Protein backbone atom coordinates (compact mmCIF):
# COMPACT_ATOMS: atom_id res chain seq x y z
CA UNK A 1 0.00 0.00 0.00
CA UNK A 2 1.52 3.34 -1.04
CA UNK A 3 1.71 6.35 1.24
CA UNK A 4 -1.28 8.18 -0.28
CA UNK A 5 -3.49 5.10 0.05
CA UNK A 6 -2.50 4.87 3.72
CA UNK A 7 -3.34 8.55 4.09
CA UNK A 8 -6.78 7.94 2.59
CA UNK A 9 -7.35 5.03 4.92
CA UNK A 10 -6.32 7.11 7.91
CA UNK A 11 -8.65 9.97 6.97
CA UNK A 12 -11.53 7.54 6.45
CA UNK A 13 -10.93 6.03 9.88
CA UNK A 14 -10.89 9.50 11.43
CA UNK A 15 -14.11 10.37 9.62
CA UNK A 16 -15.91 7.26 10.84
CA UNK A 17 -14.80 7.79 14.44
CA UNK A 18 -16.21 11.32 14.71
CA UNK A 19 -19.41 11.33 16.75
CA UNK A 20 -20.77 14.41 14.97
CA UNK A 21 -20.18 12.77 11.59
CA UNK A 22 -22.03 9.64 12.67
CA UNK A 23 -24.94 11.76 13.92
CA UNK A 24 -25.18 13.60 10.60
CA UNK A 25 -25.00 10.33 8.69
CA UNK A 26 -27.72 8.91 10.93
CA UNK A 27 -29.87 11.99 10.32
CA UNK A 28 -29.43 11.56 6.56
CA UNK A 29 -30.81 8.03 6.95
CA UNK A 30 -33.46 8.48 9.64
CA UNK A 31 -35.19 11.62 8.34
CA UNK A 32 -35.86 10.22 4.82
CA UNK A 33 -37.00 6.99 6.46
CA UNK A 34 -39.53 8.86 8.60
CA UNK A 35 -40.74 10.85 5.59
CA UNK A 36 -41.15 7.66 3.57
CA UNK A 37 -43.02 5.84 6.34
CA UNK A 38 -45.41 8.76 6.84
CA UNK A 39 -46.01 8.93 3.09
CA UNK A 40 -46.77 5.21 2.87
CA UNK A 41 -49.17 5.39 5.83
CA UNK A 42 -50.92 8.53 4.55
CA UNK A 43 -51.54 6.90 1.17
CA UNK A 44 -52.88 3.59 2.44
CA UNK A 45 -55.78 2.31 0.30
CA UNK A 46 -59.22 2.73 1.88
CA UNK A 47 -60.36 -0.05 4.16
CA UNK A 48 -63.40 -2.24 3.53
CA UNK A 49 -65.30 -0.28 6.17
CA UNK A 50 -64.50 3.04 4.48
CA UNK A 51 -65.59 1.68 1.10
CA UNK A 52 -68.83 0.36 2.60
CA UNK A 53 -69.53 3.75 4.19
CA UNK A 54 -68.89 5.50 0.87
CA UNK A 55 -71.28 3.12 -0.90
CA UNK A 56 -73.98 3.87 1.69
CA UNK A 57 -73.50 7.60 1.15
CA UNK A 58 -73.90 7.15 -2.61
CA UNK A 59 -77.12 5.20 -2.09
CA UNK A 60 -78.46 7.88 0.25
CA UNK A 61 -77.70 10.63 -2.27
CA UNK A 62 -79.45 8.76 -5.04
CA UNK A 63 -82.43 8.00 -2.79
CA UNK A 64 -82.83 11.68 -1.84
CA UNK A 65 -84.00 12.49 -5.35
CA UNK A 66 -81.89 15.58 -5.96
CA UNK A 67 -79.48 13.57 -8.12
CA UNK A 68 -82.32 12.65 -10.46
CA UNK A 69 -83.49 16.28 -10.53
CA UNK A 70 -80.00 17.51 -11.42
CA UNK A 71 -79.66 15.00 -14.23
CA UNK A 72 -83.06 15.93 -15.66
CA UNK A 73 -82.26 19.66 -15.53
CA UNK A 74 -78.90 18.99 -17.18
CA UNK A 75 -80.56 17.06 -20.01
CA UNK A 76 -83.21 19.75 -20.43
CA UNK A 77 -80.69 22.63 -20.61
CA UNK A 78 -77.18 21.24 -21.22
CA UNK A 79 -75.67 24.58 -22.26
CA UNK A 80 -77.11 26.72 -19.48
CA UNK A 81 -77.03 24.12 -16.70
CA UNK A 82 -73.74 22.36 -17.36
CA UNK A 83 -71.96 24.49 -19.96
CA UNK A 84 -71.79 21.69 -22.52
CA UNK A 85 -71.06 22.44 -26.19
CA UNK A 86 -74.13 23.03 -28.33
CA UNK A 87 -73.17 20.45 -30.96
CA UNK A 88 -73.72 17.39 -28.74
CA UNK A 89 -76.39 14.90 -29.69
CA UNK A 90 -79.19 14.00 -27.28
CA UNK A 91 -77.51 10.68 -26.51
CA UNK A 92 -74.17 12.37 -25.82
CA UNK A 93 -75.84 14.96 -23.58
CA UNK A 94 -77.58 12.26 -21.57
CA UNK A 95 -74.36 10.26 -21.24
CA UNK A 96 -72.37 13.24 -20.00
CA UNK A 97 -75.09 14.36 -17.59
CA UNK A 98 -75.27 10.90 -16.06
CA UNK A 99 -71.48 10.74 -15.73
CA UNK A 100 -71.15 14.24 -14.24
CA UNK A 101 -74.06 14.28 -11.82
CA UNK A 102 -74.27 10.69 -10.60
CA UNK A 103 -72.33 10.37 -7.31
CA UNK A 104 -69.56 7.78 -7.18
CA UNK A 105 -67.83 5.92 -4.39
CA UNK A 106 -64.54 7.70 -5.13
CA UNK A 107 -66.12 11.05 -4.27
CA UNK A 108 -66.59 9.86 -0.69
CA UNK A 109 -63.15 8.35 -0.27
CA UNK A 110 -60.58 10.85 0.95
CA UNK A 111 -57.49 8.66 0.77
CA UNK A 112 -54.70 10.20 -1.34
CA UNK A 113 -52.98 7.82 -3.74
CA UNK A 114 -49.25 7.11 -3.84
CA UNK A 115 -48.02 8.72 -7.06
CA UNK A 116 -44.27 8.34 -7.60
CA UNK A 117 -44.20 10.81 -10.49
CA UNK A 118 -45.83 13.46 -8.31
CA UNK A 119 -43.50 12.70 -5.40
CA UNK A 120 -40.55 13.06 -7.75
CA UNK A 121 -41.64 16.36 -9.28
CA UNK A 122 -43.42 18.20 -6.49
CA UNK A 123 -43.56 15.97 -3.44
CA UNK A 124 -41.21 14.39 -0.97
CA UNK A 125 -38.47 13.71 -3.52
CA UNK A 126 -37.26 17.31 -3.55
CA UNK A 127 -37.50 17.58 0.25
CA UNK A 128 -35.51 14.39 0.84
CA UNK A 129 -32.88 15.47 -1.68
CA UNK A 130 -32.35 18.83 0.00
CA UNK A 131 -32.24 17.28 3.47
CA UNK A 132 -29.57 14.78 2.44
CA UNK A 133 -27.55 17.41 0.56
CA UNK A 134 -27.61 19.81 3.53
CA UNK A 135 -26.61 17.02 5.90
CA UNK A 136 -23.66 16.17 3.66
CA UNK A 137 -22.58 19.81 3.47
CA UNK A 138 -22.66 19.96 7.27
CA UNK A 139 -20.69 16.73 7.31
CA UNK A 140 -17.99 18.29 5.14
CA UNK A 141 -17.70 21.39 7.30
CA UNK A 142 -17.81 19.48 10.58
CA UNK A 143 -15.16 16.97 9.54
CA UNK A 144 -12.45 19.52 8.89
CA UNK A 145 -13.75 22.17 11.29
CA UNK A 146 -13.04 19.84 14.19
CA UNK A 147 -9.42 19.50 13.05
CA UNK A 148 -8.92 23.26 13.12
CA UNK A 149 -10.77 23.71 16.41
CA UNK A 150 -8.73 21.00 18.14
CA UNK A 151 -5.42 22.00 16.58
CA UNK A 152 -4.85 18.51 15.20
CA UNK A 153 -3.97 19.78 11.72
CA UNK A 154 -0.45 20.63 12.85
CA UNK A 155 -0.04 17.12 14.25
CA UNK A 156 -1.24 15.60 10.98
CA UNK A 157 1.35 17.62 9.07
CA UNK A 158 4.09 16.11 11.21
CA UNK A 159 3.34 12.71 9.64
CA UNK A 160 2.67 14.03 6.12
CA UNK A 161 4.46 17.28 5.41
CA UNK A 162 3.18 17.65 1.84
CA UNK A 163 0.12 19.74 2.47
CA UNK A 164 -1.50 19.23 -0.90
CA UNK A 165 -1.64 15.48 -0.24
CA UNK A 166 -3.31 16.03 3.13
CA UNK A 167 -5.85 18.39 1.57
CA UNK A 168 -6.55 16.00 -1.32
CA UNK A 169 -6.94 12.98 0.96
CA UNK A 170 -9.45 14.78 3.15
CA UNK A 171 -11.36 16.05 0.10
CA UNK A 172 -11.56 12.62 -1.52
CA UNK A 173 -12.68 10.90 1.67
CA UNK A 174 -15.35 13.41 2.67
CA UNK A 175 -16.83 13.85 -0.82
CA UNK A 176 -16.65 10.13 -1.59
CA UNK A 177 -18.32 9.20 1.68
CA UNK A 178 -21.08 11.76 1.08
CA UNK A 179 -21.61 10.57 -2.49
CA UNK A 180 -21.88 6.90 -1.54
CA UNK A 181 -24.09 7.50 1.50
CA UNK A 182 -26.46 9.77 -0.43
CA UNK A 183 -26.65 7.30 -3.33
CA UNK A 184 -27.53 4.44 -0.97
CA UNK A 185 -30.10 6.45 1.00
CA UNK A 186 -31.86 7.94 -2.03
CA UNK A 187 -31.80 4.72 -4.06
CA UNK A 188 -33.27 2.83 -1.12
CA UNK A 189 -35.92 5.52 -0.65
CA UNK A 190 -37.15 5.25 -4.23
CA UNK A 191 -36.84 1.46 -4.42
CA UNK A 192 -38.99 1.02 -1.31
CA UNK A 193 -41.60 3.51 -2.53
CA UNK A 194 -41.54 1.80 -5.91
CA UNK A 195 -42.18 -1.58 -4.30
CA UNK A 196 -45.10 -0.14 -2.33
CA UNK A 197 -46.54 1.53 -5.43
CA UNK A 198 -46.21 -1.72 -7.40
CA UNK A 199 -48.00 -3.66 -4.67
CA UNK A 200 -50.86 -1.17 -4.96
CA UNK A 201 -50.83 -1.29 -8.76
CA UNK A 202 -49.84 2.38 -8.87
CA UNK A 203 -46.48 2.18 -10.64
CA UNK A 204 -46.32 3.51 -14.19
CA UNK A 205 -43.86 2.38 -16.83
CA UNK A 206 -40.41 3.92 -16.43
CA UNK A 207 -41.37 6.04 -13.41
CA UNK A 208 -39.19 4.15 -10.93
CA UNK A 209 -36.13 4.45 -13.17
CA UNK A 210 -36.74 8.19 -13.52
CA UNK A 211 -36.92 8.46 -9.73
CA UNK A 212 -33.71 6.46 -9.30
CA UNK A 213 -31.92 8.66 -11.81
CA UNK A 214 -33.08 11.70 -9.88
CA UNK A 215 -31.67 10.10 -6.73
CA UNK A 216 -28.31 9.49 -8.41
CA UNK A 217 -28.13 13.08 -9.61
CA UNK A 218 -29.01 14.19 -6.09
CA UNK A 219 -26.21 11.99 -4.73
CA UNK A 220 -23.80 13.81 -7.04
CA UNK A 221 -25.13 17.09 -5.65
CA UNK A 222 -24.60 15.81 -2.10
CA UNK A 223 -20.99 14.94 -2.92
CA UNK A 224 -20.46 18.41 -4.38
CA UNK A 225 -22.06 19.98 -1.29
CA UNK A 226 -19.77 18.04 1.04
CA UNK A 227 -16.72 19.01 -1.00
CA UNK A 228 -17.76 22.66 -1.02
CA UNK A 229 -18.32 22.65 2.73
CA UNK A 230 -14.92 21.05 3.25
CA UNK A 231 -13.10 23.46 0.93
CA UNK A 232 -14.62 26.56 2.51
CA UNK A 233 -13.90 25.33 6.03
CA UNK A 234 -10.29 24.61 5.09
CA UNK A 235 -10.15 28.18 3.79
CA UNK A 236 -11.82 29.93 6.73
CA UNK A 237 -10.61 27.40 9.33
CA UNK A 238 -13.92 27.60 11.16
CA UNK A 239 -17.15 25.65 10.88
CA UNK A 240 -19.14 28.59 12.24
CA UNK A 241 -17.69 31.01 9.68
CA UNK A 242 -18.40 28.63 6.81
CA UNK A 243 -21.97 27.99 7.90
CA UNK A 244 -22.55 31.72 8.38
CA UNK A 245 -21.33 32.51 4.88
CA UNK A 246 -23.36 29.69 3.32
CA UNK A 247 -26.46 30.75 5.23
CA UNK A 248 -26.00 34.34 4.09
CA UNK A 249 -25.63 33.25 0.48
CA UNK A 250 -28.73 31.07 0.69
CA UNK A 251 -30.74 33.83 2.37
CA UNK A 252 -29.71 36.88 0.38
CA UNK A 253 -27.90 35.53 -2.67
CA UNK A 254 -30.94 35.38 -4.92
CA UNK A 255 -32.11 38.84 -3.85
CA UNK A 256 -28.67 40.32 -4.46
CA UNK A 257 -28.38 38.72 -7.89
CA UNK A 258 -31.81 40.02 -8.86
CA UNK A 259 -30.90 43.52 -7.65
CA UNK A 260 -27.71 43.43 -9.72
CA UNK A 261 -29.66 42.31 -12.77
CA UNK A 262 -27.88 38.96 -13.02
CA UNK A 263 -29.81 36.58 -15.25
CA UNK A 264 -31.39 33.48 -13.74
CA UNK A 265 -28.97 31.32 -15.72
CA UNK A 266 -26.31 32.25 -13.16
CA UNK A 267 -28.54 31.88 -10.13
CA UNK A 268 -27.22 29.00 -7.95
CA UNK A 269 -30.75 27.91 -7.05
CA UNK A 270 -31.72 27.33 -10.69
CA UNK A 271 -28.52 25.41 -11.35
CA UNK A 272 -29.08 23.20 -8.31
CA UNK A 273 -32.64 22.55 -9.51
CA UNK A 274 -31.31 21.71 -12.98
CA UNK A 275 -29.05 19.02 -11.52
CA UNK A 276 -31.78 17.51 -9.38
CA UNK A 277 -34.58 17.54 -11.95
CA UNK A 278 -32.55 17.06 -15.15
CA UNK A 279 -33.06 20.63 -16.29
CA UNK A 280 -35.30 23.47 -15.17
CA UNK A 281 -36.85 26.63 -16.56
CA UNK A 282 -37.00 30.23 -15.43
CA UNK A 283 -38.45 33.49 -16.73
CA UNK A 284 -36.20 36.31 -17.90
CA UNK A 285 -37.14 39.91 -18.61
CA UNK A 286 -36.74 40.83 -22.28
CA UNK A 287 -37.75 43.66 -24.55
CA UNK A 288 -41.24 43.31 -25.91
CA UNK A 289 -41.63 42.57 -29.59
CA UNK A 290 -43.87 44.83 -31.71
CA UNK A 291 -46.47 42.05 -31.82
CA UNK A 292 -46.51 41.72 -28.02
CA UNK A 293 -46.82 45.49 -27.61
CA UNK A 294 -49.76 45.48 -29.98
CA UNK A 295 -51.44 42.59 -28.15
CA UNK A 296 -50.98 44.28 -24.75
CA UNK A 297 -52.21 47.62 -26.06
CA UNK A 298 -49.04 49.46 -25.09
CA UNK A 299 -45.41 49.14 -24.09
CA UNK A 300 -45.15 48.28 -20.40
CA UNK A 301 -41.35 48.30 -20.36
CA UNK A 302 -40.56 44.60 -20.51
CA UNK A 303 -41.92 41.17 -21.28
CA UNK A 304 -40.98 37.75 -19.94
CA UNK A 305 -39.47 34.84 -21.79
CA UNK A 306 -39.16 31.26 -20.59
CA UNK A 307 -35.60 29.95 -20.69
CA UNK A 308 -33.98 26.67 -19.74
CA UNK A 309 -31.03 25.62 -17.61
CA UNK A 310 -29.94 22.15 -18.73
CA UNK A 311 -28.43 19.42 -16.60
CA UNK A 312 -25.05 19.93 -18.27
CA UNK A 313 -25.17 23.66 -17.56
CA UNK A 314 -26.10 23.04 -13.94
CA UNK A 315 -23.27 20.55 -13.44
CA UNK A 316 -20.85 22.91 -15.18
CA UNK A 317 -21.89 25.85 -13.01
CA UNK A 318 -21.64 23.95 -9.72
CA UNK A 319 -18.47 22.16 -10.78
CA UNK A 320 -16.79 25.44 -11.68
CA UNK A 321 -17.80 26.98 -8.36
CA UNK A 322 -16.45 24.03 -6.39
CA UNK A 323 -13.21 23.87 -8.38
CA UNK A 324 -12.66 27.59 -7.84
CA UNK A 325 -13.38 27.32 -4.12
CA UNK A 326 -11.16 24.25 -3.88
CA UNK A 327 -8.27 25.93 -5.69
CA UNK A 328 -8.38 28.96 -3.38
CA UNK A 329 -8.71 26.69 -0.35
CA UNK A 330 -5.77 24.50 -1.36
CA UNK A 331 -3.58 27.51 -2.16
CA UNK A 332 -4.39 29.04 1.22
CA UNK A 333 -3.69 25.78 3.04
CA UNK A 334 -0.31 25.40 1.36
CA UNK A 335 0.85 28.95 2.08
CA UNK A 336 -0.68 30.03 5.37
CA UNK A 337 0.84 29.16 8.71
CA UNK A 338 -0.82 26.34 10.60
CA UNK A 339 -1.21 26.96 14.35
Amino acid sequence: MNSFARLLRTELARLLHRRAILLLAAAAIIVPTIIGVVLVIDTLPPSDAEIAEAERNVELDIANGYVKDNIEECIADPQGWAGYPSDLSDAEVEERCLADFTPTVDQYLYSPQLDLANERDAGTGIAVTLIVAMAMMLLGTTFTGHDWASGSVSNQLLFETRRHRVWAAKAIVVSGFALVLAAVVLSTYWLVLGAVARSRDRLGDGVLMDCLQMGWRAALLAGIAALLGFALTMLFRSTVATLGILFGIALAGGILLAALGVEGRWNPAYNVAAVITDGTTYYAEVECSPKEIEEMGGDYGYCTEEREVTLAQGVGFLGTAVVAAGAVSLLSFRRRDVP
Side-chain angles (χ1 to χ4, degrees):
M1 183 183 296
N2 60 41
S3 59
F4 189 69
R6 285 196 297 270
L7 188 58
L8 288 173
R9 185 175 178 179
T10 300
E11 291 296 337
L12 179 60
R14 293 177 60 251
L15 177 76
L16 296 177
H17 282 83
R18 292 278 173 80
R19 185 175 300 174
I21 298 299
L22 296 179
L23 288 175
L24 287 169
I29 297 172
I30 294 172
V31 175
T33 300
I34 294 174
I35 292 174
V37 169
V38 171
L39 176 63
V40 169
I41 293 174
D42 285 346
T43 57
L44 283 172
S47 64
D48 293 340
E50 291 172 331
I51 294 174
E53 179 65 22
E55 290 173 344
R56 283 194 296 271
N57 288 330
V58 170
E59 293 173 357
L60 288 174
D61 283 347
I62 294 175
N64 284 336
Y66 79 89
V67 172
K68 181 180 178 181
D69 294 339
N70 286 339
I71 293 174
E72 290 177 349
E73 291 186 33
C74 174
I75 294 173
D77 185 14
Q79 288 81 39
W81 181 257
Y84 293 159
S86 58
D87 58 349
L88 295 179
S89 66
D90 292 343
E92 290 173 331
V93 168
E94 183 176 356
E95 181 181 355
R96 290 189 61 171
C97 288
L98 287 171
D100 291 344
F101 292 97
T102 300
T104 63
V105 172
D106 289 340
Q107 294 172 351
Y108 289 92
L109 295 174
Y110 305 105
S111 300
Q113 300 295 319
L114 178 58
D115 185 344
L116 249 63
N118 182 66
E119 295 302 321
R120 176 197 63 206
D121 297 334
T124 60
I126 301 296
V128 169
T129 293
L130 294 178
I131 289 170
V132 172
M134 287 189 291
M136 294 304 98
M137 178 174 283
L138 287 173
L139 185 146
T141 61
T142 302
F143 173 58
T144 191
H146 179 272
D147 290 342
W148 289 110
S150 64
S152 64
V153 175
S154 58
N155 293 332
Q156 296 169 32
L157 293 176
L158 292 176
F159 294 93
E160 175 54 75
T161 58
R162 290 168 290 186
R163 296 189 180 189
H164 67 281
R165 289 167 65 89
V166 174
W167 192 98
K170 291 177 180 292
I172 291 172
V173 166
V174 74
S175 58
F177 179 82
L179 176 65
V180 172
L181 178 61
V184 171
V185 170
L186 294 171
S187 295
T188 303
Y189 181 82
W190 289 118
L191 286 171
V192 171
L193 288 185
V196 173
R198 183 179 288 109
S199 70
R200 299 176 183 177
D201 197 23
R202 297 283 303 173
L203 185 61
D205 294 338
V207 175
L208 178 57
M209 180 53 67
D210 289 342
C211 292
L212 287 172
Q213 290 175 350
M214 175 184 175
W216 299 334
R217 292 192 300 269
L220 174 63
L221 178 66
I224 292 174
L227 182 57
L228 179 62
F230 160 80
L232 292 178
T233 307
M234 288 293 285
L235 175 62
F236 298 115
R237 302 186 175 186
S238 169
T239 299
V240 175
T242 300
L243 294 179
I245 291 171
L246 291 173
F247 179 76
I249 292 174
L251 186 64
I255 299 174
L256 180 61
L257 289 174
L260 295 175
V262 177
E263 187 187 359
R265 164 69 182 87
W266 307 109
N267 189 316
Y270 289 125
N271 286 275
V272 168
V275 173
I276 296 174
T277 60
D278 192 13
T280 190
T281 58
Y282 66 95
Y283 287 93
E285 294 183 2
V286 297
E287 293 185 3
C288 298
S289 66
K291 181 179 179 181
E292 289 172 324
I293 294 174
E294 181 180 354
E295 291 175 349
M296 293 186 298
D299 189 354
Y300 292 93
Y302 68 90
C303 293
T304 57
E305 177 182 79
E306 187 178 35
R307 295 180 179 176
E308 181 183 10
V309 181
T310 65
L311 171 61
Q313 290 173 330
V315 172
F317 177 91
L318 297 179
T320 301
V322 171
V323 169
V328 174
S329 174
L330 176 58
L331 182 63
S332 171
F333 182 59
R334 293 185 65 179
R335 296 193 174 187
R336 289 171 63 187
D337 291 337
V338 175

